[in-house]
Amino acid sequence: MDDMLKDFVVEAMDLAVNVEEHLLRLERDPDNKETLNAVFRSFHTIKGGAGFMGLPALVAACHLTENLFDALRTGAAPVTPIAIEAALQASGFVADQLTELANGAAPESLPAMPEELEHILTNAIEGKGMDVPAPAAAVAEVAVAVAQVAEAPAAATASTTASADGLDWEGMYNAVVPAGSQVAAAPVSAVAAAPAAVAAAPVAAAAKPAAKAWDGAERREERPEVRHAAPVKEDSIRVDAVKLDALLEVAGESVQAANQAAVLLERLLQFKFEGQAATLMATLAETLERASRYSTELQRATLATRMQPVGRLFQKFPRLVRELAKDLGKDVELTIEGAETEVDRVVVDSLYDPLVHMLRNSLDHGVESPEARLAAGKPAKSYISLKAWQEANSVMIVLQDDGKGMDPVFLRSKAQQKGLISENAQLSNDECFQLVFLPGFSTKEVASSVSGRGVGMDVVKTAVEKNRGAIHIESALGKGTKFAIRLPIELSIVPTMLVSTSGAALALPMAVVQRVVELPETFMEVGGAPVLKDQGRPLPVRSLAGALGYESCSERVGIVVAAPQPYILAVEAVDGTADLVIKPMTAITVEGITGTARSAEGELVLVVGLSFLMDGCRSSVRLAA
């Protein structure tokens, strides 16, 4: 794919996503003129670029949709469900073509506009009662315009000296451009007139008398500003994500190197230096301080380039919910909050599939039919909310519905029937909710196209934990279910608390650390487990060494962990805090450990997983042997 086509595809895909969002908003608010104009402009912009790139199917689809919305925005026709449905199908077709181009398909290999799409767009135009020629004529006109776009290069090649109006456009162009920039192939008029011919082919034009051929002079007289306009200043550039990743890694390593240098300098300053050596040490200290400051700024600036708003992800879901609710015969409205919350682009890209699985399960399992809701004394319409916000060094993403909720007793029974847990397993309600994440678990007797095959929710948990996050479920029968995902704002550099236990150096994500407390020699016991009162509430005490399978040791320092079920984590010592560059563990898998890092002293540190800590330093549910 050449650079020009690549730029067109990227910009057009952004417009296509925005079109879907505008159409769904228009469905709820048909009188919103601003939204009508936005949809019209998007299709018009895509059509212009597609005509220049020689994409006839895109031109045809956008042209018919543009005609439809021209009538809607001018008031010549009302907004009806058939118009919205036709535009959504056109938007989907446009998105499919752009996706194929993005995946490397050649423009000439793209399929033509489907007859079904042409038919529904034509019906939408006819159904508006517009005083225009038959839509069939409009479609024919689009085909003629597209054919002109395709034939323009060939015609221009055949006649390189003069155009149909007798003017030597090539000679005029070569006379005004710098040496070395002259063309010897198609005249400028052939290229410039082609997209304009497509853009200037509205349906109403068929009813007008034929005008004389356009020679370019009239256009310059009508729009002199085009000739004299200064080039548009670009405020942004596109950078390959791999290059950004490499830059971030270098920035992180530079911070680590600066920290290690600072530690070494501190040790050197314990010795006494005199004369020139003292002067050199003072200069070295100043230089290292400046290098450390600059490396930290470099790290922050690099991180900022990777941050993206989650709205880029969220804007794909309203149409998904609309179509799925329609298929299931349910009346559902999705509300989105906090779309401006920023998170690492890797997290944004990896969350799409998990959120899709969660939405599908919420629609299929959680949300009741309108009849069932009315019988239960609820409004017929159900609501699903998707929220995001920043909390300390984490991003919270919460998906909540007002459906029937989850029955922990039923979940435990289903897991036992499928042999996923033992028959005598004693689980709390929270542990029963976690059963939905087990591979192969499903409450559906018969699999459907939406759910029931026992895959999906385990994919959710795996994807969240891969990004060093944690997921928690809250549910109440008859009231609904809430899935809360906690993720680090960025993945490569994580604020941590450094601890040691049983001779091992470990790092805990600061996202779950509330405070540090001193532990007594003896504890109260509840059910045989140690308990300590913290700020008036009894919290269970758990050994980090025991949870990770290390040898027991004297652990007299406690860390209050902000988990769904708070507890105190016992460690041998707290060694401070540090922002660490995390390296994922790929060769081996150790329960509870998510990666490794280097401390400022250069010591290898094991990073304890956020999900492991959120689950109380243990796997909540284990498969049956």
Side-chain angles (χ1 to χ4, degrees):
M1 184 190 303
D2 59 46
D3 291 341
M4 188 176 295
L5 180 59
K6 186 176 181 179
D7 288 342
F8 162 73
V9 169
V10 172
E11 294 170 5
M13 290 183 80
D14 289 340
L15 288 172
V17 172
N18 291 332
V19 162
E20 288 195 356
E21 183 180 351
H22 289 320
L23 289 174
L24 296 175
R25 185 183 306 152
L26 189 63
E27 189 175 39
R28 298 190 296 268
D29 184 12
D31 297 326
N32 193 319
K33 296 296 183 184
E34 183 179 346
T35 306
L36 281 169
N37 288 328
V39 175
F40 175 83
R41 286 193 300 268
S42 295
F43 277 108
H44 179 75
T45 303
I46 295 174
K47 184 186 76 171
F52 185 74
M53 293 295 164
L55 304 170
L58 277 179
V59 172
C62 290
H63 183 74
L64 284 178
T65 313
E66 182 185 25
N67 288 342
L68 172 60
F69 273 83
D70 189 37
L72 298 179
R73 73 192 183 108
T74 57
V79 178
T80 60
I82 190 174
I84 298 295
E85 186 64 32
L88 281 171
Q89 290 198 24
S91 174
F93 171 72
V94 169
D96 289 343
Q97 292 242 317
L98 294 173
T99 301
E100 290 192 36
L101 287 172
N103 291 334
E108 59 272 13
S109 68
L110 296 179
M113 180 172 65
E115 293 183 3
E116 295 80 2
L117 177 58
E118 178 182 325
H119 181 68
I120 191 172
L121 285 170
T122 302
N123 284 347
I125 297 174
E126 286 178 339
K128 304 297 178 290
M130 296 164 59
D131 186 16
V132 293
V139 176
E141 183 185 350
V142 173
V144 172
V146 171
Q148 292 174 352
V149 173
E151 294 171 3
T157 304
S159 177
T160 60
T161 58
S163 60
D165 53 20
L167 296 176
D168 185 2
W169 288 98
E170 179 184 332
M172 295 168 63
Y173 175 77
N174 288 338
V176 297
V177 300
S181 302
Q182 288 86 354
V183 297
V188 175
S189 61
V191 178
V198 178
V203 175
K208 297 180 180 180
K212 65 177 181 178
W214 176 71
D215 62 0
E218 295 177 5
R219 182 179 181 88
R220 289 196 300 275
E221 291 172 3
E222 295 171 359
R223 299 185 61 188
E225 70 278 4
V226 175
R227 180 179 56 191
H228 303 291
V232 178
K233 181 181 178 181
E234 293 189 5
D235 295 327
S236 62
I237 61 173
R238 290 190 177 90
V239 181
D240 192 281
V242 176
K243 295 180 180 179
L244 277 181
D245 294 341
L247 178 60
L248 180 63
E249 184 171 355
V250 171
E253 293 295 345
S254 69
V255 172
Q256 291 291 93
N259 291 340
Q260 291 182 17
V263 172
L264 292 175
L265 179 62
E266 185 178 353
R267 292 177 180 175
L268 280 174
L269 291 177
Q270 295 175 359
F271 298 94
K272 185 177 180 180
F273 294 91
E274 296 179 352
Q276 188 177 3
T279 303
L280 289 174
M281 287 301 298
T283 304
L284 177 61
E286 181 183 349
T287 303
L288 286 177
E289 190 278 331
R290 189 167 64 253
S292 177
R293 185 171 67 251
Y294 287 152
S295 63
T296 301
E297 289 301 322
L298 173 63
Q299 181 192 59
R300 291 174 180 170
T302 308
L303 286 174
T305 63
R306 286 171 52 108
M307 303 301 283
Q308 292 185 346
V310 293
R312 171 177 166 267
L313 175 68
F314 287 178
Q315 64 187 359
K316 301 177 182 179
F317 296 135
R319 185 176 182 185
L320 170 70
V321 171
R322 175 187 181 272
E323 299 295 337
L324 191 54
K326 184 178 177 182
D327 292 342
L328 295 172
K330 297 178 179 180
D331 189 4
V332 183
E333 181 176 334
L334 175 67
T335 60
I336 293 176
E337 297 179 26
E340 70 284 354
T341 304
E342 290 191 334
V343 70
D344 192 292
R345 68 160 190 87
V346 176
V347 175
V348 173
D349 293 340
S350 62
L351 275 182
Y352 177 74
D353 285 340
L355 287 175
V356 167
H357 285 304
M358 292 164 66
L359 282 168
R360 291 166 71 90
N361 274 273
S362 182
L363 283 162
D364 196 23
H365 293 284
V367 170
E368 313 98 324
S369 64
E371 297 79 13
R373 290 180 63 87
L374 290 173
K378 294 183 176 182
K381 175 180 284 190
S382 57
Y383 293 89
I384 296 177
S385 67
L386 186 58
K387 301 179 183 179
W389 69 90
Q390 184 175 336
E391 189 174 281
N393 295 312
S394 302
V395 168
M396 297 295 300
I397 298 177
V398 173
L399 178 68
Q400 186 170 7
D401 64 60
D402 65 344
K404 60 186 178 182
M406 300 167 63
D407 184 353
V409 176
F410 179 69
L411 293 175
R412 183 172 63 247
S413 174
K414 275 291 181 182
Q416 290 172 341
Q417 290 177 18
K418 293 178 177 293
L420 298 176
I421 60 174
S422 61
E423 292 291 336
N424 58 354
Q426 299 296 320
L427 305 178
S428 65
N429 286 351
D430 284 338
E431 291 172 333
C432 289
F433 295 149
Q434 295 293 318
L435 291 170
V436 300
F437 295 122
L438 291 178
F441 181 84
S442 176
T443 58
K444 277 218 160 189
E445 298 295 339
V446 180
S448 68
S449 60
V450 179
S451 62
R453 300 189 182 277
V455 295
M457 295 308 290
D458 62 313
V459 174
V460 173
K461 189 174 181 66
T462 301
V464 170
E465 292 182 346
K466 182 180 179 182
N467 290 311
R468 294 198 286 277
I471 184 169
H472 180 66
I473 301 176
E474 295 179 14
S475 187
L477 284 175
K479 295 183 179 180
T481 302
K482 179 171 75 173
F483 292 88
I485 298 175
R486 181 190 292 268
L487 293 161
I489 293 179
E490 59 85 20
L491 296 179
S492 298
I493 303 170
V494 180
T496 63
M497 173 172 282
L498 301 176
V499 302
S500 56
T501 192
S502 295
L506 302 163
L508 312 178
M510 288 295 294
V512 295
V513 175
Q514 282 191 338
R515 61 188 161 276
V516 177
V517 297
E518 185 178 354
L519 299 182
E521 291 286 342
T522 58
F523 298 94
M524 297 185 298
E525 290 190 0
V526 175
V531 172
L532 178 68
K533 276 194 174 183
D534 176 68
Q535 296 184 344
R537 57 178 180 173
L539 296 180
V541 179
R542 292 172 186 147
S543 166
L544 180 58
L548 295 176
Y550 294 166
E551 292 182 2
S552 60
C553 62
S554 176
E555 295 175 313
R556 289 293 172 260
V557 181
I559 299 171
V560 181
V561 177
Q565 301 294 327
Y567 64 95
I568 295 176
L569 182 63
V571 298
E572 193 171 1
V574 172
D575 303 320
T577 61
D579 292 343
L580 299 181
V581 179
I582 308 297
K583 304 290 185 181
M585 296 180 63
T586 55
I588 59 174
T589 301
V590 179
E591 184 178 13
I593 304 299
T594 188
T596 62
R598 289 282 177 183
S599 67
E601 292 80 8
E603 183 183 6
L604 181 66
V605 176
L606 299 179
V607 182
V608 182
L610 179 64
S611 180
F612 182 73
L613 293 170
M614 295 286 285
D615 287 341
C617 279
R618 66 183 189 282
S619 297
S620 297
V621 180
R622 299 184 184 274
L623 296 178

